[in-house]
Amino acid sequence: MTSDAATQERVYRAIKATLVRGEFAAGARLEISSLAKRYGASQTPVREVLGRLVGEGLVEHREEGGYRFCLLDAERLRDLYFWNAQHLLAALHVVREPVVVRALEPLRTRTAAAPIDQVALIAQIFQAIGDATGNAEFSERIRNANERLQGFRMAEIELFADTTLETSRLLALGRFNVQKNVRRKIMYYHRRRIEHAAQIIAAITS
């Protein structure tokens, strides 16, 4: 790997990690010069990285020029929630019940008091379901959805008072019909957000 390629990869990983950690609110302007200074790089690799992140759906071009952390409208957010739900349900369809239990069991003892920790735990639950398929496409698509939904999940916590309880219920697998129980809870989780997409966007933009 050339030094230019290595720099671009370093900057890519750093900016992506910053976005996924929630340091920028959805819709926040991303200044190329500020990012270049922050990560010790010239503006060229930063610009190329932001273009790469546009392709991943994490960043978007601003109409007046430049870039911002992706902010979907309510209709697009509904579509993303629906898309994520369908991938998770499809993953559960191809995974045997004991594998689902093994994948989710380690997460049942996790505590998530802070909002950022609650968001991380939801991402881990959904990623565990995707990874349990053993199919790289499921894993990658669900990982990308987790990254794109990070900022919106932070807003969900402000809107819904019971997200901690909701997450606990997702991990309450029961003794029988585990897959059916998890599917039902995933459907409820996403249906609730689809119905409140406009309010979630309003919470971010207000």
Side-chain angles (χ1 to χ4, degrees):
M1 183 180 291
T2 66
S3 60
D4 288 345
T7 297
Q8 185 178 139
E9 186 63 22
R10 174 180 62 80
V11 172
Y12 166 77
R13 292 180 182 277
I15 292 178
K16 186 171 184 177
T18 299
L19 295 175
V20 171
R21 280 197 305 268
E23 290 189 26
F24 292 96
R29 185 172 180 173
L30 302 174
E31 296 285 356
I32 291 175
S33 58
S34 297
L35 292 171
K37 183 177 180 179
R38 177 172 179 172
Y39 298 113
S42 68
Q43 293 189 24
T44 298
V46 171
R47 188 176 292 106
E48 291 172 347
V49 163
L50 292 176
R52 182 175 172 184
L53 292 171
V54 169
E56 295 182 17
L58 282 172
V59 170
E60 60 187 3
H61 290 286
R62 300 168 65 240
E63 290 185 5
E64 60 271 32
Y67 298 88
R68 69 178 183 180
F69 192 15
C70 192
L71 177 61
L72 305 178
D73 59 26
E75 183 177 357
R76 287 286 307 279
L77 182 57
R78 290 187 194 100
D79 289 345
L80 183 54
Y81 282 132
F82 179 82
W83 182 93
N84 194 50
Q86 294 306 308
H87 275 73
L88 290 166
L89 294 173
L92 286 166
H93 182 73
V94 301
V95 177
R96 293 185 302 110
E97 187 167 294
V99 179
V100 175
V101 174
R102 284 200 301 272
L104 296 179
E105 189 66 33
L107 300 175
R108 298 183 68 189
T109 58
R110 301 281 176 88
T111 57
I116 192 67
D117 295 328
Q118 292 182 43
V119 170
L121 182 54
I122 283 291
Q124 290 166 4
I125 291 168
F126 293 162
Q127 193 63 54
I129 293 171
D131 292 347
T133 66
N135 184 303
E137 291 296 325
F138 271 116
S139 292
E140 184 59 33
R141 297 299 178 272
I142 292 171
R143 180 177 299 107
N144 179 252
N146 279 331
E147 292 167 351
R148 295 174 66 190
L149 285 166
Q150 169 83 16
F152 301 103
R153 287 177 178 157
M154 293 294 291
E156 293 166 15
I157 292 172
E158 295 181 14
L159 184 63
F160 304 132
D162 62 344
T163 51
T164 301
L165 178 60
E166 186 181 48
T167 303
S168 298
R169 287 172 175 165
L170 269 173
L171 290 170
L173 305 180
R175 296 179 60 188
F176 306 103
N177 297 320
V178 170
Q179 284 170 298
K180 182 178 180 180
N181 290 336
V182 175
R183 282 197 298 268
R184 177 173 50 81
K185 292 168 186 175
I186 284 175
M187 290 171 64
Y188 170 80
Y189 173 97
H190 287 88
R191 188 182 302 117
R192 185 186 194 191
R193 283 150 179 80
I194 289 169
E195 292 172 353
H196 290 85
Q199 291 96 316
I200 292 169
I201 295 296
I204 292 172
T205 57
S206 61

